[in-house]
Amino acid sequence: MAAPSSKTCEVVERSIRDRVPPLLTDLYQFTMAYAYWRAGRHREPAVFELFFRENPFGGGFSLFSGLHDCVLFLRSFRLTDEDVDYLRSVLPPATDPAFFQFLRGLDCSGVTLTSVPEGTVVFARVPLMEVSGPLAVVQLLETSLLCLVNYASLVCSNAARFRLAAGPRRKLLEMGLRRAQGPDGGLTASRYTHIGGFDLTSNVQAGFLFGIPVAGTMAHSYVTSFSSLEEVWPQTLVAANGDPGPVDLILLTKGWLGRVCELLGAEPGKIREGELAAFLSYAIAYPHNFLAVIDSYSVSGSGLLNFCAVALSLCELGYRPLGVRLDSGDLCRQSMDVRRVYKLCSEHFSISAFQSLIIVGTNNISEESLAELNKKENEIDVVGVGTHLVTCTRQPSLGCVYKLVEVRGSPRMKFSEDPEKSTVPGRKAVYRLIDTEGHPFLDLLCLAEEPVPKPGVPVSCFPLGWDNTSHSVTPTQVTCLRQEVFTKGQVTHPLCSAAESRAKVQSSLENLHPRHKRLQEPDSYTVALSEKLHNLITKIRRGSNSDFL
């Protein structure tokens, strides 16, 4: 994998400034900021938390992603004269002109971000990010931060589910750019599906920006554009060992095609000449990277035969062809047939390279069809996934929210007609408790001033969603889940590359107990409140009725 250069890193940061300027937000953020400013409250210290309420896709976990872009967004946050002029035109005419001068001077020099590391397994109701700073500024950041985290975390989690469905052996290729929700959605999908477990992408720009390995050969349109061997040009290929005499590849391949048809008992009259011409033309252009899509007409009657003839010709000249792609029909059955032909050719013609030829399967693959594929006997080495991966067909949004939990050092809590929409007040620390086997079993939310739970010491807590009673748990290990990554306008923790975040995902998922990773009917992971935090909520609820009238 090619690591991104310093130049491409600069391009990524510039891309964030272009894609996520301060105006990429909801209007009410600016109307609230004005009201805070008008009341003289805009500099009050405030704390917001970002979290989601339900694990996506009916699963037992999610993966936190988008932190890298959030930090770059905070670092570059500043309104231009043009931004302020536009806001002057859309805010009510009675808006005090001095407010626009205030906006022009805003930045994130007073903002601090504490966050779960990118690529960490996370669960519903756990505060993933804490954003603190001047009230007006941290309010203005809400929509942009949600936009950067919501889809990134969702598609990364979706990719991890595909990886779990595929198993560790099979390679996964992300190929959803053409089906994504716009160019930015496509680029974001390529990056975060790689972090979530996909090995390759078809997206060239993602390879350039993030160092993701890119892959791709030919489409059906390339194959069907040929109709005759007369269209093959040049018709010769020099051997891989550098022998100067060019070989007539058409003539060589015709000889091999006859031998393949004889070996397999195939009818030469059903073979499509245009398809053979396409394969020959591509093989001459890329003799070291010959991988052909073989279902443009008939896999068994034409495509596989033409591929084998061209591949055997390449082997004779010292090249190593790659394999085939199947894009329609019964992929499992066809892959078995293809592998059988590979082995027959290898044994009959004494061509060992045919033993290592790969089979790529594509065809509107979903998580369910991938899981079904694994239940059947098949020989597919690489699976390409597009639409169902990048569009997150089963659930289009993670539903992250950004809620106020403290102002001027005083806890704030949202009550709601829907109990699940109420918030947990106060500035917090989040700890992950680990059992004797090294698996996390509970995430504990505590008030920030509470002492850190100690390994081997019982902890009294109140699990969310259970009855309102205390439970005691004893962790073997305790880890603090969040770290400060952006402090008073400065990046204070190194930003992770896509490769580093991908490694974090793999280790985080490996540590998660299998019962929480099940794709169907996983066990619920426990998130709990400390006794002190639970008592604070009880106190606030009881004191919510005031005698101010």
Side-chain angles (χ1 to χ4, degrees), residues 12 33 58 101 103 125 139 158 178 199 218 262 277 291 301 313-314 345 390 418 449 468 482 542:
V12 171
Q101 296 175 359
L103 288 179
R125 306 291 299 184
Q139 181 71 71
N158 200 26
R178 65 187 59 195
D199 304 282
M218 67 176 71
E262 183 180 354
L291 191 148
S313 298
L314 290 174
C345 289
V390 304
D418 300 321
E449 64 269 19
N468 198 29
R482 300 189 309 204
R542 288 174 178 170

Side-chain angles (χ1 to χ4, degrees), residues 2-5 7-16 19 68 187-188 191 203-212 214 497-498:
S5 66
K7 183 177 181 180
T8 57
C9 291
E10 292 172 8
V11 171
V12 171
E13 182 156 7
R14 188 167 64 248
S15 172
I16 290 294
R19 290 163 45 222
H68 181 279
L187 193 61
T188 301
R191 178 177 187 180
N203 187 337
V204 179
Q205 180 73 353
F208 169 68
L209 290 176
F210 311 125
I212 304 171
V214 293
S497 67

